[in-house]
Amino acid sequence: MKVHHTLICFFFLSALQDGNAEVNTDKNISFGVVGRNLTAEFSFPAGTWKMLCRGECKGGNILINTTDEKHQSYRYSTGYVIVESAPHFSVSITQLIMSDAGQYSCGVGESPSSVSYRQFEVVVAEALLDGDDPAQLKHFYKETGSSLTVGCSFNPSGGQKFFCRGECGEGEVLLQTDDEDASKDRYRIGFRGTSEETYGGGGIVYVTITQLTESDSGQYRCSLNPSSGQASFRVFEINVTDAVVQSAFSPSLTSSVTTEQPEKTSEGVSLPVGLTVAVIIIIIIVLSSLAVLIICIKRKSNRGLRTRGNSEGTNMEDVHYENCTPGSTREDSTYQSLHPAARDQDQTYSTLTHHT
């Protein structure tokens, strides 16, 4: 069953019938689903000033403060609509997100000081279940400490509402009530009827678990048991973990995970593209550095073979000492018996002898 984007806010007065559950009385509650739009309508006398606030209307809580008949600010808008031939003040939120859930105030008056306010609550579900086919079992992947709200769509419009863990057997019923909204401990159940014209007289049961723990993992069921006819139910499963990465395996995120797969090497090992490029650059830099280092070493070695400097910077390879004695006739002798008088006293000489 397709759910219309506009949901009417109803005013409920309930009596406590289940001693184990706290019934929420005297409350305006509007229900919506993530990604969809929500509109709540209130009967107000005509007025010049219109306001919409998150919580109490003061300071940064004010979302809209206008004298326009219709006004829009970001995802919020206000205006007048005709309901049953009477004007109603309408407030809307588009593209709902989970953080939109909470308390709101809206008001109309002839002046800012005379504005009359109405408080209402927005309940936002992560998903709306409209079938009990086990093949379409919905899985929710949550972190410890978070909350989960799920909506269950039914064609019947009245009867007892059940929220169970398992199959609603003995000891598995978490909440059971005939009222429109009830809560106990970390659990909550509510019901919002829908118009005959739009929804065929059906309704939505919503269930909430707060402060989730790993022990909350398992299968759950929301059920509507009308006064006449067989009960209908919707089933879903919760997986609660500490690891943030577990949420990446949620079926709702499959497409985003698939499109971000890293490249694969020829051996089938997945490597991120950025890491592959970085490794190639590092290899090129290392090889280039080694090549430059080898060239420098070779140049230094060749320079050392050509040049040998003494303490005064004289090139020894260009100096030849052949002050040999006149009687020396050996052609293969080098520095033979230099004459003492010709020796430089600042230099060191030695007599070389050729051995055969």
Side-chain angles (χ1 to χ4, degrees):
M1 179 181 65
K2 182 178 179 181
V3 176
H4 195 273
H5 287 175
T6 302
L7 296 173
I8 305 280
C9 178
F10 292 92
F11 185 70
F12 294 96
L13 294 175
S14 302
L16 181 63
Q17 294 184 9
D18 185 349
N20 295 324
E22 177 184 351
V23 177
N24 301 317
T25 63
D26 197 22
K27 293 184 67 175
N28 289 305
I29 301 176
S30 291
F31 172 84
V33 182
V34 169
R36 303 188 184 185
N37 302 337
L38 177 146
T39 297
E41 298 166 353
F42 304 88
S43 177
F44 272 107
T48 303
W49 288 89
K50 298 93 178 176
M51 299 186 70
L52 173 63
C53 311
R54 184 74 186 258
E56 187 177 354
C57 281
K58 64 179 182 179
N61 294 340
I62 299 176
L63 303 174
I64 291 179
N65 184 6
T66 183
T67 58
D68 300 335
E69 287 297 315
K70 293 184 178 181
H71 187 86
Q72 181 172 352
S73 176
Y74 187 40
R75 296 185 296 113
Y76 309 100
S77 61
T78 58
Y80 270 102
V81 296
I82 302 299
V83 178
E84 297 179 353
S85 301
H88 282 65
F89 183 60
S90 171
V91 297
S92 299
I93 307 175
T94 61
Q95 295 297 308
L96 286 167
I97 57 178
M98 289 305 301
S99 59
D100 288 327
Q103 301 295 326
Y104 290 79
S105 299
C106 62
V108 177
E110 289 300 325
S111 66
S113 59
S114 64
V115 171
S116 175
Y117 295 102
R118 301 277 180 85
Q119 283 73 42
F120 65 99
E121 180 185 3
V122 171
V123 175
V124 181
E126 293 192 21
L128 183 64
L129 310 181
D130 57 2
D132 52 11
D133 184 359
Q136 299 179 356
L137 179 65
K138 181 70 174 178
H139 294 264
F140 296 94
Y141 296 83
K142 306 294 293 182
E143 299 175 37
T144 54
S146 63
S147 301
L148 174 66
T149 297
V150 178
C152 305
S153 177
F154 296 102
N155 286 326
S157 59
Q160 284 191 321
K161 300 88 181 172
F162 292 85
F163 181 26
C164 311
R165 181 164 187 174
E167 299 182 357
C168 290
E170 184 177 355
E172 294 179 328
V173 178
L174 303 174
L175 276 176
Q176 174 184 350
T177 184
D178 292 322
D179 299 293
E180 304 296 342
D181 194 90
S183 60
K184 182 181 70 174
D185 300 329
R186 298 183 297 119
Y187 308 106
R188 181 181 182 181
I189 188 170
F191 178 80
R192 293 295 163 264
T194 56
S195 67
E196 181 74 27
E197 178 182 356
T198 306
Y199 304 106
I204 296 172
V205 174
Y206 62 84
V207 293
T208 300
I209 307 177
T210 61
Q211 293 297 313
L212 286 164
T213 65
E214 291 187 18
S215 61
D216 290 322
S217 297
Q219 195 169 103
Y220 291 81
R221 176 177 298 197
C222 51
S223 177
L224 181 64
N225 186 14
S227 55
S228 61
Q230 187 175 3
S232 299
F233 62 89
R234 305 288 181 260
V235 181
F236 60 93
E237 189 167 305
I238 306 175
N239 185 17
V240 184
T241 61
D242 286 326
V244 178
V245 294
Q246 292 293 333
S247 60
F249 296 98
S250 172
S252 61
L253 299 178
T254 302
S255 58
S256 62
V257 174
T258 303
T259 57
E260 297 176 0
Q261 289 293 332
E263 291 185 353
K264 293 187 177 181
T265 65
S266 58
E267 296 179 358
V269 180
S270 296
L271 290 176
V273 177
L275 179 60
T276 303
V277 174
V279 171
I280 293 175
I281 293 175
I282 292 173
I283 292 175
I284 293 175
I285 293 174
V286 171
L287 292 177
S288 301
S289 301
L290 288 175
V292 172
L293 181 61
I294 292 172
I295 293 173
C296 292
I297 292 174
K298 285 185 177 181
R299 288 182 177 179
K300 185 175 181 181
S301 177
N302 293 337
R303 189 182 301 112
L305 292 175
R306 291 195 308 267
T307 305
R308 294 179 182 175
N310 59 11
S311 60
E312 295 180 358
T314 305
N315 191 333
M316 296 300 294
E317 291 184 353
D318 294 335
V319 179
H320 302 278
Y321 295 94
E322 296 182 356
N323 189 16
C324 304
T325 58
S328 176
T329 59
R330 293 179 60 105
E331 295 181 356
D332 56 350
S333 298
T334 304
Y335 303 116
Q336 297 181 19
S337 186
L338 300 178
H339 196 280
R343 296 180 181 177
D344 189 343
Q345 298 301 317
D346 294 332
Q347 302 293 332
T348 302
Y349 300 89
S350 63
T351 300
L352 304 178
T353 304
H354 185 272
H355 296 280
T356 57

